[in-house]
Amino acid sequence: MQLKNKKAIVTGGAGGIGRATALAFAAEGASVAVVDLQAEAGEKVAAEIRAAGGEAVAITADVSNEADVKRVIDTVVAEFGSVNVVFNNAGIIKRKTATEIEVDEWDLVFGVNVRSIFLMCKHVVPVMTAAGGGAIVNTGSGWGLKGGGRALSYCASKGAVVNMTRALAIDHGPAGIRVNSVNPGDVNTGMLREEARQLAQSTDSFLAESADRPLQRMGEPEEVAAAVVWLASDAASYVTGSALVVDGGGIA
Ligand SMILES: NC(=O)c1ccc[n+]([C@@H]2O[C@H](COP(=O)([O-])OP(=O)(O)OC[C@H]3O[C@@H](n4cnc5c(N)ncnc54)[C@H](O)[C@@H]3O)[C@@H](O)[C@H]2O)c1
């Protein structure tokens, strides 16, 4: 029970890495708010946690919208009493170059991947500070640490996630708040299938290419979730401002 009595928010919790982490947080004893744009799928994850004996609420919200983010935090404080852990994980990708991507698509990617983390931290840091500290984990990407093809806005946004994580760690460390990024590479979620679709590539060939890394396979969401549980837990009590890579050696 690495997160016993912790109150946690997981964004993008309806699917993929977020869902696996919401379930892992709950299995480690945390109360979990599953936050996502997808209402039905988010409620399903919360119901799954409750059916296993845990405590969970689903909150439908757009994490790039400030009023929604404030409502999420207010709801969690009303339901659970406080917030100790936040996993800022909601994210989207556009597989386009500078000449292909439209300005509104660029803004959308930055809204969901970057602005969301700023908004969450802006409003949750005071709550965490009042609670005596906490842990924030932001989902970056291997493509926040190196470049990738036909994904300009995504690479730029994930680079921002990695470095804003460091800046947040510096600003809020004195309040006892640790901030780290987890940086996955090719994990078996809907996002990989969406990339194949955007690139007009067959899903099979795209997934086969994802296995081209030292461990010879793509990752599973539960393998990222295990790293997030550790970063969020007291076992990582001296870890802040770090960028943990979970990618089967893909960018080694
Ligand atoms: N799958 C990979 O290979 C991979 C690799 C590196 C990084 N990541 C990152 O991991 C995170 C999770 O992605 P995933 O692979 O689980 O994909 P996913 O598409 O399965 O999950 C993303 C979730 O975010 C939600 N979401 C999207 N926009 C939102 C918004 N505005 N407000 C609230 N929720 C919103 C979606 O509804 C979805 O449930 C993302 O930040 C992604 O960039 C994924």
Side-chain angles (χ1 to χ4, degrees), residues 139-231:
T139 304
S141 168
W143 283 3
L145 297 160
K146 71 178 282 294
R150 285 190 77 183
L152 180 75
S153 59
Y154 186 81
C155 293
S157 72
K158 292 301 186 177
V161 172
V162 170
N163 211 32
M164 73 197 284
T165 296
R166 300 185 183 113
L168 287 159
I170 290 167
D171 286 342
H172 306 299
I177 300 171
R178 296 184 299 102
V179 193
N180 294 286
S181 65
V182 66
N183 295 277
D186 286 9
V187 179
N188 188 9
T189 71
M191 184 172 275
L192 287 190
R193 287 155 184 84
E194 170 62 15
E195 288 182 69
R197 192 192 64 76
Q198 289 183 20
L199 294 168
Q201 196 174 332
S202 85
T203 307
D204 285 351
S205 78
F206 191 83
L207 295 182
E209 281 173 21
S210 296
D212 182 18
R213 58 195 61 239
L215 291 187
Q216 304 279 288
R217 62 176 177 85
M218 64 182 163
E220 293 302 325
E222 292 72 18
E223 296 179 291
V224 181
V228 180
V229 166
W230 178 72
L231 285 171

Side-chain angles (χ1 to χ4, degrees), residues 12 16-17 36-38 61-63 89 91 139-140 154 158 184 186-187 189:
I17 292 167
D36 207 287
L37 269 182
Q38 299 184 61
D62 175 355
V63 292
N89 165 74
T139 304
Y154 186 81
K158 292 301 186 177
D186 286 9
V187 179
T189 71

Side-chain angles (χ1 to χ4, degrees), residues 74-156:
D74 290 347
T75 305
V76 174
V77 170
E79 293 273 339
F80 299 157
S82 191
V83 183
N84 313 111
V85 171
V86 175
F87 183 34
N88 285 310
N89 165 74
I92 56 170
I93 193 165
K94 299 282 175 206
R95 294 299 307 264
K96 293 185 175 181
T97 66
T99 55
E100 292 164 346
I101 192 163
E102 299 297 339
V103 172
D104 60 349
E105 293 177 309
W106 173 279
D107 289 344
L108 183 63
V109 169
F110 267 73
V112 179
N113 294 6
V114 181
R115 182 179 145 103
S116 61
I117 295 177
F118 152 61
L119 291 174
M120 183 64 79
C121 291
K122 178 173 174 59
H123 296 293
V124 88
V125 162
V127 177
M128 280 187 169
T129 301
I136 298 172
V137 182
N138 301 322
T139 304
S141 168
W143 283 3
L145 297 160
K146 71 178 282 294
R150 285 190 77 183
L152 180 75
S153 59
Y154 186 81
C155 293

Side-chain angles (χ1 to χ4, degrees), residues 43 45-58:
E43 187 47 59
V45 174
E48 212 175 322
I49 290 171
R50 290 193 293 265
E55 186 176 26
V57 289

